[in-house]
Every structure is written in C-alpha cells, then in structure tokens.
Amino acid sequence: MKLVRQSRLHFREGNSDKVYEVDLCEAGEGEFLVNFRYGRRGAALRDGTKTPFPESRAKAEAIFEALVAEKTQKGYKIAGESGLPAALPVAASPALACDDPRRTAILRRLKEEAGGSPKGKARWKLSRVLWRAGAWMMREAADDIATIGARLQGPMDLWCAAWALGRCGSPKHAVVLDLMTKRAADVPWVLAMIAEAKVALLPEEDDSAAGLPPTVAAVFLTGDPAAFRAVVEQELRTGQHNGLPSALMILSSRHGWVREVMHELVRLLPLGRGTMPFFRQVLKASEFRLDAELYGQCVRRFDTTNATGAMPWRLPKAAPQPAYTTGTRNYLRRRPVRLLTVAGESGEAALFIPLATGLLLAYDDQTDQPRETSTSTYDWDRTTRRSIERKIWYPRYSSCFGFIWLMRGAGGKLEPTNSKVTWRFIDGKRGDATTREEPFAHLWDQAPDAVMHLLRHARTREVQQFALRVWRANPAFVEEADASFVADLLGSWFADTVALGLEIARARWNPAAPELPLLLAMLDSSLPEARTQGIAWLRDVATIVVADSAFLASTAFLKHEDARLAVRDVLRATAIPVESRRDLVARVVSALLALDDDEAAIAGPAVDFLLLLAPAEVQALPPAHLAELAAHPLEACQLLAVQVLLKSSSPAGLPESLLLAAVSSDFPAVRRLGMELLGKLSDHELASRTEVLAACAVSKHEELRDGAAPLLGRVATRDRTSARELVLQWYPLLFREESFEGLHASVHALLTESFANELDAIPADSFRRMLESRYDYGQMLGFALLQRESGPFETEDLVAWAVHPLVAVREWAIEQLEREPDLLRREPGLVLRLLESPYDDGRERAFDFCRREIRDGDWTPESLVAVCDSNHRPARDFGRELVTRLFREEDGPVYLLRFSQHPATEIQLFATNYLERHASGSAERIAALDLYFRTVLSRIGVGRVAKQRVLAFLEKEALADESIARLVVPLLARQSGTVAIQDKAEMIRILDALRRHWPQMESPLKPRPVPVREPS
C-alpha cells in the first residue's frame, strides 16, 4: 500500500499520555483505505481500520477528516500531518429520515422509559425497542438508552441495551456498561455484548490478553499465528471457556494477524457443540461492528454446512443436546434477511450496504460449484383422471437464503419454499433476472463505491449480473469510474463485466491525452475485441508511449500472446529513446526479480521482450544484477543472466558464485548454457576447477555430463596426474548399481574417449573381473582393457569369452579360437560349451566350425554322443547331424545303447534308426534294450513314429525267434495294461499273432467262447 496522507495526534492529561495516528493509504488503482493506530506513547501501537472495503478517494478523504475531527473533539492535539487532501468533491450523505413515524415512536418510547413514566401498555417489548434503536444507530437516543440500561435486570434487556449503547453511545456512556457488567456477571452471552460495546466506546483501552485462558494468552504473546490458531482451535473444540470467543473477537479488532486467524477459523472450524458459541459470537459481533467480511463468511458457513445432530425431541432425555440442529441452522440462515430488512428500513445506506456487500462477496462459483436443480411433483387431473408430472426448478445457490434475497427478493420470479430457507422459481418464470429485483434498490443507488467493489471482486455470476443491473440503472455512476476501475473491469473474469469496461473505455479514450493505464488494461483484457481496440490505439499514440518507460515495462508482462506480438511489432517500428530503453531494462529486471515461482508463464515473454527491444542495454547489466537474476527461482531469469554472460568477452573475471550458478540450476536449459559458459575458460582456468568438472561428469543431469566430457578432455591433456586420479576414481562406479540412469554410459564414454590414454592406470588383470561384471558398461570397459592385452590366452578363457553376453567379446574370442582350430579339435568338451551357447550368433559360429574342422575319426563316439546328450535342444539336434555325418559301422551298437538311454523324444526316435542294423536277431541286445522299449511305449501323446517302429521291430523279431518272443510277450503284456486304447489294440494284436505262431509258449491272452443266444 502507498501512504497518501497521515495525521499524528496526541493526548496528555494527568497520567494519561496517548497517541493516535490516522493513515490514508492507496490500496490499488482508485481504491483507498483509512487505517489507524493508537496506544500509550512509547508502547507498541494497536492497528485498526475504518474501511473494511476500499473506498473511492473522495469518500476515503471524508472518512479521514471525520476521524481526525472526532479525535480533536475528544481533546487530542494534532502533532503533525503529511500529504494533501485530494481536490475532489465529497459526496453528501443522504439526509436521515427524521420524519419517519417509526423513528419518532422509538424515540418517544425510550424517552418515556427513561423518565419512568411509560403511557399505557406497550405493544413492543422494551428489549425490541432497544434493539431497533441500536440497529438504526439512533445516536440522539443514546442518553435515554444509558438511563434505561442503568436500571435493567433481565439478561435479554441487558443484551439489547448493550447492543444499542455500543452502536449509539459515546465514551461518557461507558460507565453504564460497567454497571451492567456487574448485573450480568453469570450470563456469558450478555457479557460478550457488553465487552463489544465497551470496545466500541473506548477503543483506546486495551488489555491484550484479557479473557484468554492462560495457555492461549501465553501463545498470543509470542505473536505466532500458526501456533495461536492451533491452541485456540483446541480450546474451542473443548468448549470449556465461555469468554474465549468474545476475547478473540476483541483481539481481532486490534491485531491484524489475529483477524486473519479468525477468518481461517470461521472458514475451516467444524460446527458442533464446542465450536457453536464461537460462531454465534462471530456472527453477532460482526453484525454489531458492520464487519462485512467476517459476517459474509459466517453466513456462508451456515448456508453450506449441513446440520450435525438430530432434533432435540428425537433424543433420549439424558442425552446431551446437539448445538447445530436443522432448526438452529434454518434460524441462522433466515437471520440475515431479518437483520438486513431492518437495516434497509432505516433508510441509511451506511447501515445496509456494508453487510450486504460482505455477504454477496462471500460466495465463489469455483469453490461452491452451484447449479440449477429440480424436483418433480404430481398433480391430479380430474378431467383425464391421471397424474401429471410438474417440474419445480431451483436457482443456483437456492439454499443460500440471504444471498438470493439480496439480489432477487423483491422480484416476481422466485418464492421461498415452505421451510423459508430455500428459493424456487415460480411456475413458468425460470431464468436469470432481466430487471432489478432486489429489495431496497434505492440504497444501492446511493452506493456507487459498493457496486464498483462488487464488479471488481465478486466471484459469482449472480453478483456480477446484479451489480451490472444496478450500474446500468444509474448512468451517473460512470462519473465515479476512474482509469483504474475501468482497468479492473477489463481484467474481470466475467465477460459481461469486461464488455462494460470496454464500453466505458471507448467513451473515455482521448488520443490527444492518452490514459496509459487504460490503454494497458485494454491490451491485457481477456476480451479479444478489447485487445484489438487497444492495439489500434497503441499504433495511434506509439510516439507518445515510447517516452514512458513504466508503460513499456508493463507491456512486457501482458498475459495474451496476440497482444504481446502486436505490441512488439509496434514498438520495433518506433524509435525508443536511449533513456527510455535504460529505464525499461531496469524496470523489467526489477519486476522479474519480484515474480513468484508460479509466474513463470509471464517471465519468459518478458525476457524475450527485453532482448528484442533493448539488447545493448541488457548486455550492459552490472554483475550484481546478473547475480540476482541467476539466483532467482524462475528459469527465464536464470536464462537471461547466462545469455548475457555468454555474450561477454570473457567470463574469467566473474565471481565464482556467479560463474557456477547456472551449473547448479534446476533447469536443463540453464545448466546446458552454464557448461557452455565454463567452456569459454582457458585450459589453465579449467584445470583449477577439475573438482567441479568431475562432479558434473557424474551428475544426474545429462546436460552436465555431456558438457563436462570435452572440458575434462582438455584438462586431461594438460594434467595427466589429475587425469589418472580421476580414472581410478571413476572406473569402480561401473561395478555398482547406477544411482541414476545414464551414469554408467557417461563414465564409460569418459574413460574410453577423453581418458583413453590413461586407462593403464587401472590395475593389471582387472579386465577379468570387469568382464564378469553384472553391468554392461563394466563389461565393455573390461573388453576395452582385454584388447590392450598382448596374450597369449588360455583356450578355456577364450571359450568362456566366446559365450560372453557382449557380442563384441564373443566375436573377438571366436576369431581368436578360429586362428588355431587344432586347439578346439582336441577338446570336445570345450566345443560342446560353444555349441550350448545361449546366443544364436555364437552357436552358429560353433556349428560352422564343427562342420568345417571336425573330420571322421577326430572324436570318439562318446564325444559325439555327449553332444547328443546335451540339455540344449539346438546342440542335441546338431549332435545328431554330427553322428550321421561321422557314423562308423563298428560304433553302431555303442550309439544304439547310448541313445536308448536318453530321455528326449527326438533322441529315442533317432535310436530306432539303429535297431534293424545293430539289434536284429540278437536276443541279448534286445534284452538290454528292455528299458528303452518300455520308455518309448509308455509315452502318451508323443513319439508316435518311434512307437510304430519299435512295435514293428518287436513283432518281426519275435515271429522269427522264440527266445526273442519270450522277451517280447511279457513286455507287451505289461505295457498293454497301461497305454492308450489305440496302442493297446496294436499290442494285443501282436500278442495274438505270437500266440498263434508259438502255440507251445504261454500267452497272457485266454480265448473265451462267444455265447450264442437263440431267439425265443
């Protein structure tokens, strides 16, 4: 806020030495506040305000003058003043309706009660008369109220008297409040109102911690809002301290931070037994003070929070009574209508408008997500004797009773439901208001500032539409609209409000004397039509605006791209004075440094704007400013600083912190430029920063690793000792799990490229351990070291490397082996390892080697069978190929015996090829193959060809030789009982053939005669 005027007053009498300061502050364009501070001289002063909402300059000046005049009448002396009043007319307040018969009746009744001679039986209770006098702030009745209050006894009478005296009285009446305090000592809610009234009459008296529980008071004195809120919330939930809500409200009027805590509590504290007294006190105190913001938030809580307990008559007698029932909630929702109706009937806008404005501003479309709803009812049609459905529609915010009443309560389109807490559309009249439907419209006609405030700050569609209706019904309001107000309209979220701003802006615009704030608002408006109009105006006055660096700096932060591009085109075509360019750079840089983390969207375009319009001035920024930009959390600021540094002649003389700021940035683009900046240093300067570069080389950021590699290469050529130390520091990283993706690749690239000449620093024979590493890049480094070895290598090592996971290692090892084929030819076991390689390329190379180098007689049958016995299917298949190619007749029985013992189906099938040639006619060999036969015949669903060959062989041999038949019969008899039906039939057929061929031999088959049945 900007201080416009200040008046300092002091009061000294006896032991009293007090000061009072009044400030007139500019809160924004066209919005002003009147704040005050008071207290004992030399002590910490308490804060307060006379303007809950910003006012126009004229009204704020009037409030300022009235407050100063009030204090001087009380004996304060003006000690000093600063600032001058605005040369604007002060709007006269409307005359009070002194001839209102209701006011006359109230004054007469109070006069009679004060004189002790009431005439006849009163129709109104005295408490209601007192409350109405306070509600209308009838200051002329203050003496009579004080006289009556001095002799009242009942709690309600005392409460109403305190309410009325606090709103109507003066400091001299405070003594009556002291007397009332004694009479209401046991009634907390009465004492709370008396305390509020006393603060209103004697605002300077302050006992900060009075009424607070000790635990709350101790935290209050620390001034910590978060801790204070926590302890207050805990105390309120327990509900054990009756005076706490009242004390909190009094403190909130004197301490701004306590007021903020109160707002949070009203917004977030649950409604229940412990907290309900707090909400009641906030509601009543805000009504008493006309505290619009707290009042609106409190009413909104009642509107939007459902009841939390059953109705009292539904509970057992001994059960604790709920504090926030449906009945209580409905009463609190109707209360604003009653209060504001009374305030409106007073005829004074000052009593009605503040609370009404606060209530309208308490709701938010984005938070509340309102929508129209409907229910269905059915009417009986006597003519058709059928039920007809009828829709009943409810407007948005229908359950917010006071909110809707303020805007449409006097129209003919809405009506309350039976509960009197919800609004619904009258049949056939659903829709938004098109005319003014609010009660007490004449009071809104007297409050242009309030309407302007609604247009500026309302967050609901209904309130924006309402404010627009009032504005358009009062053409004279436009005289109150200054450039800042029009700018706020153009920046509104509501399209119709933006259109109003455009309408007013077009009427105000004068190219001969352009209002640059208005032009800026047009360029930054959310309405495309307004931006187009603003760009046209800018072209007309371009030669004027280039002399205003503040305006130019503001255009750097326009939100809409079309406006930004158009402004740049216009300004590029216009000569900007050197002094304006310098000021422009200073202003934009200052604004960039003031941006928050969530404003990155406008920072980038602002930097581009600077570099386009004032590149030379940007390049001349001093190192101190560059350091601030580099330290800013926004990427655009950091990029600007680094880009300037890159264009400088040499970074050698820069502070180390500035030189390295970009490298430690959170943004990849900045870090990449930071490495380019380091690259501009000489080799000598880089060598002095080896540790920094080494850290960048193994950083988790890819751009740092990529940028550090060539720089470290330069360091390595200059300082071999440091380079070898880095090699020893880095290569173990390849044997550990990566702490981030890409670390191993970067380290391997560094070692094999920039530091390739220093790899001999790694201990000898380390390559073997590296080749066995779990990580690819560790294996690749091991291979690089292996290639540097002179050899010779053991054949077993070469075979092990020939089945290595790395293709390069496998190919290199196989090439080494193929140079001396005799070494492998003599080692079938090693060749088998190659044939069983898990990698296709290695196996194919091994197959080719065997086809090319293994000749007849090189390997024994056992070696060939060992290949066929492999657990690796491709090796087994290749083994059969080898056996077939290298088969010798004398080795047939060996192959048959060995293959018959193999469990694999394809090998068992392969063994059948040798039955005829090497087992035919030999009962001994057939007996030795018994297990083989049983295995083949027992397979289910596989080995069909092998079974057929075995059965055919057995049948042929058994029919030719009885001794063989005696071996085959028990074999088939045993197998036929366990195999599938198809195989069983074939075995039974063979057994039957053998029974018939060798009748003397015992057979498991027993013929049975077929019974013949003769027809009856």
Side-chain angles (χ1 to χ4, degrees):
M1 290 190 299
K2 178 182 177 182
L3 182 64
V4 178
R5 290 185 65 189
Q6 185 182 68
S7 182
R8 298 181 297 279
L9 303 97
H10 72 271
F11 178 86
R12 182 176 297 170
E13 182 178 303
N15 294 329
S16 180
D17 187 4
K18 300 182 288 186
V19 295
Y20 201 98
E21 298 178 356
V22 186
D23 294 341
L24 176 62
C25 301
E26 184 177 10
E29 290 290 338
E31 294 188 330
F32 295 84
L33 299 172
V34 177
N35 301 328
F36 59 85
R37 295 178 299 282
Y38 61 91
R40 295 184 179 276
R41 188 188 302 274
L45 301 183
R46 304 303 178 191
D47 297 328
T49 184
K50 287 292 183 179
T51 50
F53 295 105
E55 303 284 356
S56 66
R57 176 69 181 267
K59 289 196 174 182
E61 290 277 9
I63 295 171
F64 180 93
E65 297 289 354
L67 182 57
V68 173
E70 177 187 344
K71 293 303 172 184
T72 54
Q73 290 175 3
K74 293 180 179 180
Y76 280 83
K77 304 295 183 184
I78 297 178
E81 287 189 331
S82 62
L84 296 174
L88 295 174
V90 178
S93 300
L96 298 179
C98 296
D99 56 348
D100 187 341
R102 293 172 298 181
R103 298 179 69 92
T104 302
I106 291 171
L107 290 173
R108 182 172 59 251
R109 173 71 183 280
L110 293 175
K111 182 70 69 178
E112 292 173 356
E113 292 288 347
S117 56
K119 297 181 179 179
K121 185 176 180 180
R123 294 175 55 191
W124 268 15
K125 288 184 178 180
L126 179 59
S127 60
R128 301 303 300 164
V129 177
L130 290 170
W131 183 86
R132 181 61 67 95
W136 284 2
M137 287 191 177
M138 299 173 62
R139 299 188 182 278
E140 63 272 30
D143 291 339
D144 292 337
I145 294 171
T147 302
I148 296 170
R151 57 173 182 259
L152 291 175
Q153 299 292 332
M156 181 56 70
D157 291 339
L158 289 171
W159 189 94
C160 293
W163 156 275
L165 200 57
R167 287 169 66 95
C168 304
S170 60
K172 69 179 182 179
H173 299 124
V175 64
V176 178
L177 294 175
D178 292 335
L179 180 61
M180 295 167 64
T181 300
K182 297 178 181 179
R183 294 177 181 171
D186 298 329
V187 189
W189 52 277
V190 177
L191 293 177
M193 180 50 67
I194 293 173
E196 283 287 338
K198 194 168 184 180
V199 170
L201 299 182
L202 301 172
E204 292 86 356
E205 292 190 6
D206 180 25
D207 184 2
S208 296
L212 295 178
T215 54
V216 178
V219 178
F220 165 74
L221 294 176
T222 66
D224 183 350
F228 184 69
R229 177 193 163 184
V231 70
V232 166
E233 183 172 349
Q234 182 178 359
E235 292 288 340
L236 289 175
R237 286 175 182 270
T238 62
Q240 296 178 355
H241 297 281
N242 293 328
L244 179 58
S246 175
L248 290 173
M249 284 301 297
I250 293 172
L251 285 177
S252 69
S253 67
R254 294 168 174 167
H255 304 276
W257 67 270
V258 177
R259 181 177 174 81
E260 293 301 320
V261 170
M262 293 293 288
H263 280 293
E264 292 183 15
L265 291 172
V266 170
R267 189 168 58 251
L268 303 174
L269 199 65
L271 285 155
R273 286 186 56 80
T275 60
M276 200 59 203
F278 166 79
F279 281 97
R280 288 183 180 275
Q281 180 59 27
V282 172
L283 180 66
K284 294 175 181 178
S286 58
E287 291 173 347
F288 174 82
R289 301 177 186 176
L290 299 180
D291 189 330
E293 191 173 6
L294 267 178
Y295 179 75
Q297 287 190 8
C298 202
V299 172
R300 180 182 176 276
R301 279 304 305 275
F302 299 139
D303 280 340
T304 58
T305 306
N306 292 328
T308 57
M311 297 302 288
W313 59 81
R314 296 179 179 176
L315 297 173
K317 292 184 178 180
Q321 296 299 304
Y324 186 57
T325 62
T326 299
T328 300
R329 181 186 179 222
N330 289 345
Y331 163 76
L332 293 170
R333 292 163 68 189
R334 289 189 289 262
R335 181 185 176 102
V337 175
R338 186 189 69 171
L339 176 70
L340 291 172
T341 298
V342 172
E345 290 172 348
S346 71
E348 296 188 57
L351 297 179
F352 176 82
I353 295 298
L355 294 184
T357 303
L359 197 154
L360 293 177
L361 291 176
Y363 299 82
D364 187 329
D365 281 352
Q366 188 172 358
T367 302
D368 300 325
Q369 297 290 313
R371 60 186 180 89
E372 282 191 0
T373 58
S374 66
T375 58
S376 295
T377 186
Y378 294 88
D379 298 329
W380 180 255
D381 188 336
R382 295 179 179 273
T383 304
T384 61
R385 300 183 63 81
R386 298 176 63 183
S387 294
I388 300 176
E389 181 183 9
R390 178 167 56 89
K391 285 276 190 180
I392 300 176
W393 286 94
Y394 301 84
R396 292 172 12 125
Y397 293 103
S398 61
S399 62
C400 303
F401 195 67
F403 177 73
I404 295 296
W405 175 83
L406 277 172
M407 296 177 289
R408 304 189 66 176
K413 294 183 178 179
L414 294 172
E415 63 181 1
T417 60
N418 294 335
S419 63
K420 304 298 182 184
V421 289
T422 304
W423 294 93
R424 65 187 176 198
F425 286 109
I426 297 175
D427 286 347
K429 296 185 178 181
R430 177 188 172 198
D432 293 335
T434 55
T435 60
R436 297 183 66 179
E437 299 180 3
E438 74 274 16
F440 307 109
H442 63 286
L443 298 182
W444 289 106
D445 295 340
Q446 302 171 26
D449 285 339
V451 177
M452 292 165 66
H453 192 71
L454 291 177
L455 289 171
R456 275 172 156 150
H457 301 292
R459 301 302 305 171
T460 63
R461 186 186 76 194
E462 285 77 5
V463 177
Q464 288 284 343
Q465 291 172 337
F466 164 71
L468 287 170
R469 292 196 297 271
V470 177
W471 180 275
R472 295 197 179 280
N474 292 274
F477 279 9
V478 74
E479 298 176 4
E480 301 282 339
D482 55 13
S484 65
F485 173 67
V486 180
D488 288 342
L489 295 187
L490 290 169
S492 174
W493 62 274
F494 192 62
D496 292 349
T497 303
V498 179
L500 174 63
L502 177 59
E503 177 185 327
I504 300 173
R506 283 172 169 163
R508 291 178 61 94
W509 179 251
N510 181 8
E515 293 181 276
L516 297 188
L518 182 60
L519 176 57
L520 182 65
M522 292 284 286
L523 294 171
D524 213 22
S525 174
S526 59
L527 189 66
E529 182 183 356
R531 297 198 297 274
T532 303
Q533 181 69 76
I535 293 167
W537 290 351
L538 177 64
R539 292 192 179 98
D540 295 339
V541 297
T543 56
I544 299 175
V545 302
V546 292
D548 191 322
S549 59
F551 174 81
L552 295 179
S554 298
T555 60
F557 296 94
L558 294 175
K559 296 189 293 290
H560 304 281
E561 185 176 6
D562 58 341
R564 289 198 301 265
L565 295 176
V567 168
R568 291 178 191 178
D569 291 342
V570 172
L571 295 180
R572 287 179 66 186
T574 308
I576 303 177
V578 174
E579 192 62 32
S580 292
R581 291 202 301 269
R582 290 175 182 166
D583 290 346
L584 169 65
V585 172
R587 289 177 182 274
V588 173
V589 170
S590 297
L592 286 171
L593 293 173
L595 292 178
D596 293 329
D597 296 359
D598 58 351
E599 296 179 291
I602 61 174
V607 169
D608 296 339
F609 183 88
L610 272 189
L611 295 174
L612 182 68
L613 297 182
E617 288 72 18
V618 172
Q619 196 60 39
L621 283 171
H625 290 175
L626 295 177
E628 290 185 72
L629 288 169
H632 198 278
L634 287 181
E635 180 180 14
C637 297
Q638 298 177 19
L639 282 173
L640 177 60
V642 182
Q643 288 170 347
V644 172
L645 293 174
L646 280 171
K647 292 180 181 179
S648 61
S649 57
S650 173
L654 294 174
E656 190 73 7
S657 59
L658 179 56
L659 189 61
L660 299 180
V663 176
S664 57
S665 171
D666 293 333
F667 304 102
V670 180
R671 295 193 293 267
R672 188 175 295 107
L673 293 180
M675 296 308 298
E676 291 184 23
L677 183 62
L678 288 178
K680 296 185 67 176
L681 295 172
S682 66
D683 291 350
H684 173 72
E685 291 166 336
L686 281 178
S688 66
R689 296 173 173 84
T690 303
E691 292 185 3
V692 174
L693 295 176
C696 292
V698 293
S699 168
K700 64 181 179 180
H701 302 298
E702 182 180 2
E703 59 280 352
L704 292 183
R705 301 196 301 272
D706 293 345
L711 302 185
L712 283 168
R714 290 166 54 186
V715 172
T717 58
R718 181 180 181 86
D719 185 356
R720 291 197 63 188
T721 302
S722 297
R724 295 173 74 83
E725 291 177 357
L726 289 175
V727 169
L728 293 175
Q729 176 183 339
W730 285 335
Y731 88 87
L733 297 177
L734 299 179
F735 305 103
R736 306 171 191 161
E737 184 178 359
E738 283 186 319
S739 54
F740 54 85
E741 186 177 358
L743 173 62
H744 285 174
S746 297
V747 172
H748 177 266
L750 275 170
L751 292 174
T752 56
E753 296 173 8
S754 301
F755 290 78
N757 294 331
E758 313 302 334
L759 289 181
D760 58 338
I762 299 175
D765 215 31
S766 295
F767 70 88
R768 296 182 182 275
R769 185 167 62 91
M770 294 180 184
L771 287 173
E772 296 173 1
S773 171
R774 296 166 51 197
Y775 306 105
D776 291 347
Y777 285 101
Q779 299 171 6
M780 292 167 64
L781 179 61
F783 178 54
L785 296 177
L786 172 62
Q787 290 176 298
R788 292 169 173 259
E789 296 291 325
S790 58
F793 302 102
E794 296 290 336
T795 306
E796 290 188 4
D797 291 336
L798 291 174
V799 170
W801 297 332
V803 293
H804 195 275
L806 287 181
V807 176
V809 176
R810 295 199 298 271
E811 292 179 349
W812 179 87
I814 292 174
E815 288 175 2
Q816 298 296 319
L817 289 169
E818 288 178 343
R819 291 175 184 173
E820 299 185 37
D822 289 342
L823 295 177
L824 277 181
R825 192 180 297 115
R826 295 194 298 267
E827 298 289 345
L830 297 180
V831 176
L832 179 59
R833 289 180 59 185
L834 297 178
L835 296 174
E836 292 180 338
S837 172
Y839 306 103
D840 294 343
D841 59 331
R843 287 198 306 274
E844 290 301 326
R845 293 285 293 271
F847 293 167
D848 292 342
F849 174 83
C850 291
R851 293 184 182 111
R852 186 177 63 252
E853 301 293 341
I854 305 301
R855 297 182 293 273
D856 187 15
D858 286 346
W859 284 3
T860 65
E862 286 76 10
S863 298
L864 294 173
V865 170
V867 177
C868 295
D869 280 344
S870 172
N871 291 327
H872 200 267
R873 176 65 179 269
R876 292 201 303 269
D877 294 344
F878 184 71
R880 297 202 303 274
E881 177 186 332
L882 282 179
V883 170
T884 303
R885 184 167 64 85
L886 303 176
F887 178 78
R888 291 187 299 181
E889 189 67 27
E890 63 270 20
D891 297 329
V894 177
Y895 289 131
L896 177 58
L897 181 62
R898 295 293 302 275
F899 291 154
S900 67
Q901 298 170 358
H902 201 284
T905 303
E906 68 274 9
I907 298 298
Q908 293 176 357
L909 175 62
F910 186 65
T912 61
N913 297 322
Y914 298 91
L915 289 176
E916 290 289 343
R917 296 170 58 185
H918 302 288
S920 179
S922 174
E924 181 180 356
R925 291 181 181 177
I926 291 175
L929 294 175
D930 180 73
L931 179 61
Y932 167 68
F933 294 142
R934 280 188 288 149
T935 303
V936 172
L937 296 176
S938 297
R939 291 189 176 275
I940 300 176
V942 294
R944 170 58 50 192
V945 175
K947 290 180 183 179
Q948 290 174 352
R949 290 181 180 180
V950 167
L951 289 173
F953 172 76
L954 292 176
E955 181 180 8
K956 173 177 169 295
E957 294 298 320
L959 290 173
D961 189 336
E962 183 179 358
S963 62
I964 295 176
R966 293 184 179 279
L967 295 175
V968 172
V969 168
L971 171 64
L972 296 181
R974 180 172 57 251
Q975 293 300 122
S976 64
T978 59
V979 297
I981 187 65
Q982 181 178 356
D983 296 333
K984 177 183 291 189
E986 180 64 15
M987 292 180 188
I988 292 174
R989 185 192 66 76
I990 295 173
L991 288 172
D992 185 54
L994 294 177
R995 180 181 67 82
R996 295 176 184 274
H997 188 74
W998 305 104
Q1000 71 279 11
M1001 186 174 61
E1002 184 178 356
S1003 173
L1005 299 180
K1006 304 296 183 183
R1008 297 175 64 182
V1010 177
V1012 178
R1013 294 184 181 181
E1014 296 180 0
S1016 57

